[in-house]
Amino acid sequence: MAFRKPISTFGGLTWWKNVRQNEYFIMQEHKVGIPVWPYKYRILMRENKMEIANSNDYDEIIYDWRYLENNAVPQLDQKIDWLKNGSDFVDLITKIVLKK
């Protein structure tokens, strides 16, 4: 897998064609590909258009897509909201911020 720290996307959008998308990610294919561009496919986070995966192999990028859908998509039913019942924590932070 070619996952990496999200980076700004390179290349104008006119060079990319959307292949697949959902509410979290966009998969794009480079219209020209190699040798003009170092990779043919990429996956972007829809929220901020940052690139998180790329590959020249379609099967590999599909595998990455499935992994992201199953593991990187926010699992709202499993989310731990540490501020919801953490009034002691909020009070502590408030005291620290307001202390002069």
Side-chain angles (χ1 to χ4, degrees), residues 28-59:
Q28 295 180 325
E29 177 181 12
H30 198 270
K31 292 180 180 178
V32 179
I34 297 176
V36 175
W37 200 253
Y39 48 87
K40 186 147 177 86
Y41 301 98
R42 70 181 183 182
I43 297 175
L44 308 175
M45 292 187 292
R46 182 180 287 281
E47 181 178 340
N48 57 10
K49 301 292 191 238
M50 299 288 269
E51 183 178 307
I52 54 175
N54 60 54
S55 178
N56 286 317
D57 182 19
Y58 183 74
D59 291 333

Side-chain angles (χ1 to χ4, degrees), residues 27-90:
M27 182 190 303
Q28 295 180 325
E29 177 181 12
H30 198 270
K31 292 180 180 178
V32 179
I34 297 176
V36 175
W37 200 253
Y39 48 87
K40 186 147 177 86
Y41 301 98
R42 70 181 183 182
I43 297 175
L44 308 175
M45 292 187 292
R46 182 180 287 281
E47 181 178 340
N48 57 10
K49 301 292 191 238
M50 299 288 269
E51 183 178 307
I52 54 175
N54 60 54
S55 178
N56 286 317
D57 182 19
Y58 183 74
D59 291 333
E60 181 182 5
I61 203 75
I62 290 297
Y63 184 79
D64 293 347
W65 179 267
R66 288 189 192 121
Y67 177 86
L68 288 168
E69 280 186 320
N70 294 330
N71 297 293
V73 171
Q75 308 289 324
L76 297 178
D77 60 330
Q78 299 173 10
K79 182 178 177 184
I80 298 171
D81 190 356
W82 53 276
L83 286 176
K84 184 176 182 181
N85 293 322
S87 60
D88 294 335
F89 180 75
V90 173

